[in-house]
Amino acid sequence: MMWKRVTPAGGFWGLLTGSVSSVAMFLLVKFHHSMLAYIALSSDAKDMAENMYRALWSWLICVIVTVSVSYFTKPKPVEELTGLVYGCTELPSEGDLPLWKRPIFWAVISAVLFLILQWIFW
């Protein structure tokens, strides 16, 4: 969705290797607790830290495999990606819209409400 060079094969193999690597790291730590020092970079890491590091490693593996496989396979023509990929889609103009119909207006309102709630419940 963000890079027009990614191919279907790259996306498939990246997703598959990322998912399999996550399961493999989980099982590796489950059966060999000493491997936690390599995955979470600490032998004393708590469960949440292990989960975050495992997600990071899986994401990195997914991205590396996706990019690598995409570079070795033929990309789809730009015409087929129009409307699907950010770089191939023309963004609509907001020039004639009133202020309350623009996304930036609602983003600012949401941010202000979030800050007010944060201040009230802190």
Side-chain angles (χ1 to χ4, degrees):
M1 289 174 24
M2 304 303 276
W3 185 40
K4 64 182 178 180
R5 181 62 178 86
V6 173
T7 62
F12 172 77
W13 289 109
L15 184 62
L16 183 66
T17 56
S19 299
V20 168
S21 68
S22 180
V23 171
M25 285 185 274
F26 173 78
L27 293 174
L28 195 61
V29 171
K30 188 81 165 163
F31 294 114
H32 300 287
H33 192 70
S34 61
M35 296 305 289
L36 181 62
Y38 298 105
I39 293 173
L41 306 179
S42 171
S43 58
D44 298 324
K46 302 295 182 206
D47 289 342
M48 188 58 73
E50 177 193 350
N51 293 338
M52 291 301 292
Y53 275 104
R54 190 170 60 244
L56 172 69
W57 294 123
S58 298
W59 179 80
L60 284 172
I61 291 168
C62 175
V63 169
I64 289 168
V65 170
T66 298
V67 170
S68 300
V69 171
S70 292
Y71 272 124
F72 288 105
T73 54
K74 183 181 176 191
K76 287 191 170 281
V78 175
E79 296 79 30
E80 290 184 32
L81 301 175
T82 303
L84 296 173
V85 178
Y86 185 74
C88 298
T89 304
E90 185 178 331
L91 298 177
S93 172
E94 298 176 353
D96 57 345
L97 289 177
L99 181 63
W100 64 87
K101 289 190 176 182
R102 296 181 187 203
I104 190 68
F105 174 76
W106 294 106
V108 170
I109 295 292
S110 298
V112 168
L113 288 174
F114 172 76
L115 291 173
I116 291 170
L117 289 172
Q118 182 72 18
W119 180 72
I120 290 172
F121 293 107
W122 185 263

